Amino acid sequence: MKSIENLISEATKKALASLYNAQTESVNITIQPTRKEFEGDFTITVFAFTQLSKKNPEVTGKEIGEFLKSELPIVDDYNVIKGFLNLSISKLYWLEFLKSIFNKNDYGLAKPAADAPSIMIEYSCPNTNKPLHLGHIRNNLIGFSVARIVEAVGNNVIKVNLINDRGIHICKSMLAWQKWGGGETPESSGMKGDHLVGKYYVLFDKKMKEEAKKLVAKGILEEEAENKTDLMDEAREMLRKWEAGDAETINVWKMMNGWVYDGFDVTNKTLGVNFDKVYYESETYLLGKEVVNEGISKGVFFKKPDGSVWIDLTPDGLDEKLVLRGDGTSVYMTQDLGTAIQRSKEYKFEKLVYVVGNEQEYHFKVLFLILKKLGYKWADGCYHLSYGMVELPEGKMKSREGTVVDADDLIAEMIKTAEEITKELGKIENFESAEAAQLYKTIGLGALKYFILKVDPKKKMLFNPRESVDFEGNTGPFLQYTYARICSLLRKAKDMGYSAAINVNDIAQKEKDLIIKAYEFPKVIKESATAYNPALVANYVYDIVKLYNQYYHDYPVLKEENADLRSLRIAISEQVGTVIRNGMWLLGIEVPERM
RNA sequence: GAUCCCGUAGCUCAGUUGGAUAGAGCAACAGAUUUCUAAUCUGUCGGUCGUGGGUUCGACUCCCGCCGGGAUCACCA
């Protein structure tokens, strides 16, 4: 079925050709929803056509409107205000449209064909030296939601994680645990593994600073002191041992990373995010070296006298960039080159999306440019989904100042608040305790996820703890509530023997508004997939929910005595419920059937 | 110093490839429940869209300058 916009657009071109004898190949026709203060459903801006018609906008609009009205059966009427041609689409058409999507539980969600393009999305990418925090939550939620959205427009999606499980930071935790841990484990301490390891990372930092302070007192420069501590030496020594494959070091490393993975799994499972494939840096960090050699022979890279390898990007307006250290060891760029190339061999993807914070924009610009210069065709399909930092009312999160919002704490807090508010409202007296616990989780996480996803990923966002636990207005629980209320309505309808049906030939304005809104759903998903922006879906769901609540308030459904009207209202309610459920699915937010 | 991003109501955010009188939520105030879930709905208050130019029939949107905030430019990750 052709979209209305297409029909209108084509008919308008026909009008221009037949009325004004115009060439319409290159004419761009802008069609937008009519603003609600005017009569009509779609609006064509006619200013641009006055050159073709040689008449003023009013007259041009009228002539085109008249043409469309007689030519297009779906156009019932039109009016022209200033240069705007407002078209009213026939109510019968909207009812037909409603019929066409009605009972489709997966409305808006396309199933990817087997031969559909593949898109790889990398997100999360934590270090294993400390637990996840609010920044990771934003990353996880964006990555997971974008994956669903991209899938819903018909792509095959491969969700991947790249865990930074090696390096000096992990050695710091290990060293501190060996020195002062006394053999403590998650079991013996009762601590979640990632938090336990994080505790030793913090302890290392504290002890090292104490040592550095003494060095400064002895006259060593402050900026050099930390690097000159014995503790840092020991940590570096441990890293060397790790790289040399020292058995004892590897064992401790494996054990402590295992604790961290168990911890991450719990957090990710609670958040509801997952991956198709997990990469570990310990397995990929050597990958890029060969590529560097190839690059030298291809003349893309060059070697400096000290042996370090560089690429000159000054012709591209960037700097010279190091791709391999003088001692032959990798830098970040080396690994990322190698990993990307390996992935391209493992999976045939058309796009590779990196969900990474905007502080790394330069890095990815360079990475993609190098891949392109190395001749990889798929480099054009690489995209850095660069999201803004999460800030707190008192400023940025700083681990040194202890202002980092821990992911597990935050999630627990949201769930607790959901419980308190639910109990306060006294809505679920007849719930089993397990059912109630599930509901608190659904609501608490719904609030958190929606709070984060409703903001454009590209923008930095302010996380105000007080506002995040607000469950009224433009919030996740508000959307969930509307869904639950629809479910309740449908349950009652069923009990009363009423069913949904579309047997009318007239509808109220608010009903038409809702159908039009539902009509926009697939379009919104497409836009949101193109822009990798879940906020478009979030804001859309909010819009339709707001419209529906007004409708719910103004129009009785079950109390309506006219059976046809009643059935129509049930049908509309059910359809809105489907849109809410599927929209929330795209955001990774669950919806409760009662709350 | 160079490059990039951001600046919309007291606060948090929307605002489609440039379109009509710039919209929501929160906060404040005033209302609506014998009626399908009031986590709801309605109303009031709130704006020189940072600022000055330019392009255009038309600019929050595009271009240039300036002001303010942030990020990046490591043989760190």
Side-chain angles (χ1 to χ4, degrees), chain A residues 250-299:
Chain A
I250 298 280
N251 280 340
V252 176
W253 172 77
K254 275 188 181 160
M255 176 183 70
M256 290 182 75
N257 270 346
W259 297 345
V260 173
Y261 298 147
D262 290 344
F264 285 172
D265 284 348
V266 170
T267 308
N268 285 339
K269 200 171 172 202
T270 309
L271 266 186
V273 305
N274 52 46
F275 306 92
D276 301 308
K277 162 111 188 175
V278 178
Y279 292 88
Y280 297 90
E281 236 183 74
S282 56
E283 294 166 1
T284 62
Y285 82 109
L286 295 173
L287 278 178
K289 293 191 185 183
E290 264 178 55
V291 181
V292 169
N293 288 328
E294 283 170 33
I296 294 174
S297 54
K298 281 184 188 167

Side-chain angles (χ1 to χ4, degrees), chain A residues 448-491:
Chain A
L448 176 61
K449 292 179 180 183
Y450 185 80
F451 187 82
I452 288 172
L453 289 175
K454 74 176 174 184
V455 181
D456 185 336
K458 285 203 281 291
K459 296 190 177 174
K460 71 170 185 215
M461 69 167 290
L462 186 96
F463 187 86
N464 186 330
R466 213 181 56 249
E467 284 174 18
S468 71
V469 294
D470 204 338
F471 289 1
E472 290 168 11
N474 189 358
T475 66
F478 168 57
L479 309 188
Q480 292 171 321
Y481 170 76
T482 303
Y483 181 76
R485 205 159 64 165
I486 289 173
C487 288
S488 167
L489 190 73
L490 296 177
R491 278 193 301 271

Side-chain angles (χ1 to χ4, degrees), chain A residues 48-60:
Chain A
F49 308 150
T50 54
Q51 293 169 353
L52 303 172
S53 68
K54 311 270 193 293
K55 292 171 184 168
N56 70 41
E58 287 273 345
V59 174
T60 311

Side-chain angles (χ1 to χ4, degrees), chain A residues 121-126 131-148 159-163 264-275 355-357 385 387 390 407 411 449 452-453 534 586-588:
Chain A
I121 300 179
E122 178 195 274
Y123 66 101
S124 203
C125 306
L132 305 179
H133 58 70
L134 183 50
H136 295 110
I137 291 187
R138 189 176 196 195
N139 182 308
N140 274 340
L141 297 180
I142 290 171
F144 186 74
S145 175
V146 164
R148 283 208 166 152
K159 289 173 286 184
V160 303
N161 190 359
L162 173 56
I163 297 183
F264 285 172
D265 284 348
V266 170
T267 308
N268 285 339
K269 200 171 172 202
T270 309
L271 266 186
V273 305
N274 52 46
F275 306 92
V355 183
V356 179
L385 174 40
Y387 64 92
V390 183
I411 292 167
K449 292 179 180 183
I452 288 172
L453 289 175
L586 294 174
L587 301 173

